[in-house]
């Protein structure tokens, strides 16, 4: 079976993807510097799959470490590049941290692909590249216009897509599928792996589950006067295992040369917009917990509403998000409960 390098493989989406790859028989090698994850994730992966993947701990923004890795580890067929910082607010306060890490690591990985003849890359991008789409572009398709990023984090995703495009133009044998994620939530149904926020979570679902378990006093719902049916912001929340499965399909497509262009872009979402209040209600229903929340001012930098047009991914990849919001919320709650035990 092909050998897949997963950077950021102990992270949230990375670990779920490693599980799906191993389940399909792929040989997996992980690189992660554990800046935003822990080594115990490998045990969770082993409990689910029976396999503990090979692991290398170093910083991919260091060209020497990265080059040495490729020199010593031949036979890699494809790379899934997750490793990146992702906190929107932090990126505004510390842009150099984001440009330095997210851009340099991609640069070093692509240099490795070129020098060591690794043709296939799956890149972790984001719906943030669309900004707030105009009403006529909702649900948002892959051809919707991109807008200037409203955070350095978002800008690193736009720049990364450009870098990949430029390199692919110059290198005939390289190809890439960039996956633009909407809002990944939930955890593996076994509750052996899930999202592990360090410090106070900035994302909605970990904040909900931490409030429900008593770690936080109250959830603040940011914005009650958006132009949406209940006044709260709308996102497309996608189950992380559904998302992980799309990566396996992308890998199969590249490795078997089924891609139609050297750079293909896909939106990964459910196609359904869900408001913050609807997400909270779903959580309350499946957990049986009455969540303590209050409606407060909008969060600076937030957009009002975005959800995916999933037709292209559905038709071309033969992939579809399957889990319901309720199932996904329940998986997040089971994971939170397991973490605190
Ligand atoms: C953003 C980015 C996404 C990025 C992600 C990484 C956009 C459109 N999306 O997602 O690309 O990958 O950050 O972290 O730029 N909320 C509350 N209370 C909370 C937390 C969140 O009400 O305590 C609300 C937010 O205002 C938002 C929704 O919940 O309306 C989702 O927020 P969050 O989980 O932080 O994700 P995004 O900001 O959509």
């Amino acid at each position: 079976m092909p050998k897949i390098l997963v950077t950021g493989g102990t992270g949230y989406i990375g670990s779920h993807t490693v599980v799906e790859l191993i389940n399909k028989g792929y040989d997996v090698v992980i690189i992660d510097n554990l800046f935003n994850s822990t080594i115990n994730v490998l045990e969770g992966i082993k409990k689910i799959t029976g396999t503990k993947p090979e692991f290398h701990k170093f910083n991919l923004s260091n060209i020497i470490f990265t080059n040495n890795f490729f020199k010593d580890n031949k036979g890699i067929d494809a790379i899934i590049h997750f490793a990146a910082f992702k906190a929107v607010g932090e990126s505004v306060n510390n842009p150099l941290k984001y440009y330095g890490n997210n851009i340099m690591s991609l640069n070093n990985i692509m240099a490795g692909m070129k020098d060591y003849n690794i043709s296939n890359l799956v890149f972790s991008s984001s719906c943030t590249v669309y900004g707030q789409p105009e009403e006529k572009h909702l649900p948002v398709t892959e051809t919707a216009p991109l807008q200037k990023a409203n955070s350095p984090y978002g800008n690193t995703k736009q720049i990364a897509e450009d870098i990949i495009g430029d390199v692919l133009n110059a290198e005939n044998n390289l190809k890439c599928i960039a996956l633009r994620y909407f809002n990944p939530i939930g955890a593996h149904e076994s509750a052996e792996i899930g999202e592990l926020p360090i410090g106070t979570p900035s994302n909605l679902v970990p904040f909900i589950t931490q409030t429900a378990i008593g770690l936080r006093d109250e959830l603040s719902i940011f914005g009650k006067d958006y132009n949406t049916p209940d006044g709260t912001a709308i996102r497309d929340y996608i189950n992380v295992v559904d998302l992980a499965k799309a990566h396996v399909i992308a890998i199969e497509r590249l490795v078997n040369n089924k891609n139609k262009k050297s750079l293909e872009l896909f939106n990964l979402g459910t196609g359904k917009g869900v408001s913050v209040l609807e997400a909270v209600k779903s959580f309350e229903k499946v957990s049986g917990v009455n969540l303590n929340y209050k409606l407060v001012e909008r969060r600076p930098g937030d957009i009002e509403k975005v959800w995916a047009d999933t037709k292209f991914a559905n038709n071309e990849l033969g992939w579809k998000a399957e889990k319901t919001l309720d199932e996904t919320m329940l998986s997040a709650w089971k994971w939170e409960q397991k973490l605190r035990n």
Side-chain angles (χ1 to χ4, degrees):
M1 275 302 265
K3 186 166 171 178
I4 316 298
L5 168 62
V6 182
T7 76
T10 50
Y12 175 42
I13 308 171
S15 57
H16 290 81
T17 300
V18 167
V19 164
E20 297 307 316
L21 286 167
I22 295 175
N23 283 344
K24 287 269 174 163
Y26 285 95
D27 199 1
V28 175
V29 184
I30 295 175
I31 300 174
D32 202 300
N33 59 9
L34 302 179
F35 272 27
N36 206 10
S37 60
T38 72
I39 195 72
N40 300 336
V41 172
L42 295 179
E43 296 302 328
I45 293 171
K46 186 172 175 202
K47 279 196 187 136
I48 300 169
T49 63
T51 303
K52 195 167 168 180
E54 185 182 323
F55 176 76
H56 298 259
K57 180 178 174 225
F58 69 89
N59 194 333
L60 286 154
S61 58
N62 182 308
I63 183 68
I64 297 170
F65 296 161
T66 306
N67 190 53
N68 283 343
F69 170 85
F70 284 116
K71 197 166 65 194
D72 297 341
N73 293 271
K74 302 278 162 53
I76 291 168
D77 297 286
I79 302 174
I80 309 183
H81 182 40
F82 290 107
F85 292 136
K86 61 164 189 177
V88 176
E90 185 191 43
S91 79
V92 174
N93 296 323
N94 196 352
L96 289 175
K97 177 174 173 180
Y98 278 69
Y99 290 115
N101 184 67
N102 294 8
I103 303 300
M104 281 316 298
S105 57
L106 174 69
N107 217 82
N108 293 342
I109 285 165
M110 294 206 84
M113 292 176 70
K114 190 180 153 189
D115 294 344
Y116 297 93
N117 295 317
I118 303 168
S119 303
N120 305 308
L121 175 68
V122 174
F123 179 69
S124 195
S125 191
S126 167
C127 72
T128 194
V129 299
Y130 299 115
Q132 174 60 65
E134 286 175 55
E135 204 80 33
K136 65 176 181 204
H137 291 303
L138 283 172
V140 68
T141 66
E142 288 79 357
T143 53
L146 306 190
Q147 296 189 51
K148 186 175 160 35
N150 54 10
S151 71
Y153 157 77
N155 204 21
T156 65
K157 293 297 176 191
Q158 290 191 353
I159 295 170
E161 288 190 1
D162 285 345
I163 292 174
I164 293 169
D166 290 345
V167 176
L168 265 45
N169 278 338
E171 305 293 330
N172 286 332
N173 59 331
L174 300 192
K175 47 203 201 305
C176 172
I177 295 180
L179 301 173
R180 291 173 173 165
Y181 313 147
F182 282 67
N183 286 54
I185 61 165
H188 194 268
E189 60 185 6
S190 66
E192 296 293 351
I193 55 172
E195 192 168 3
L196 268 176
I198 293 176
T200 309
S202 55
N203 294 112
L204 178 64
V205 172
F207 208 102
I208 289 178
T209 56
Q210 288 195 6
T211 305
I213 208 130
L215 277 178
R216 315 271 156 212
D217 290 338
E218 160 177 76
L219 168 76
S220 294
I221 295 182
F222 301 128
K224 53 187 172 197
D225 57 355
Y226 283 113
N227 182 23
T228 59
D230 65 23
T232 65
I234 290 179
R235 297 288 184 275
D236 184 336
Y237 296 97
I238 173 158
N239 181 285
V240 67
V241 177
D242 280 339
L243 189 71
K245 288 178 176 164
H247 293 75
V248 180
I249 294 172
I251 285 290
E252 282 165 357
R253 186 173 172 96
L254 288 173
V255 170
N256 297 319
N257 289 310
K258 296 271 170 59
N259 54 305
K260 294 182 179 154
K261 293 196 286 185
S262 63
L263 173 58
E264 293 185 317
L265 300 158
F266 292 100
N267 286 346
L268 296 183
T270 65
K272 194 169 176 294
V274 169
S275 75
V276 180
L277 266 178
E278 285 172 330
V280 167
K281 295 294 164 212
S282 163
F283 175 81
E284 290 187 321
K285 183 171 93 186
V286 298
S287 66
V289 176
N290 263 332
L291 200 72
N292 196 19
Y293 68 84
K294 63 172 180 221
L295 292 152
V296 303
E297 290 298 290
R298 296 179 181 195
R299 182 170 68 177
D302 269 351
I303 62 166
E304 181 168 274
K305 52 187 166 201
V306 68
W307 62 97
D309 186 317
T310 62
K311 276 191 227 71
F312 189 55
N314 296 161
N315 297 339
E316 273 298 312
L317 297 177
W319 166 90
K320 198 172 186 306
E322 278 163 3
K323 298 264 197 248
T324 64
L325 180 64
D326 287 353
E327 286 171 316
T328 305
M329 282 293 182
L330 185 59
S331 73
W333 180 228
K334 279 193 192 157
W335 164 245
E336 185 69 60
Q337 288 172 303
K338 174 121 180 214
L339 261 185
R340 306 305 155 192
N341 281 329

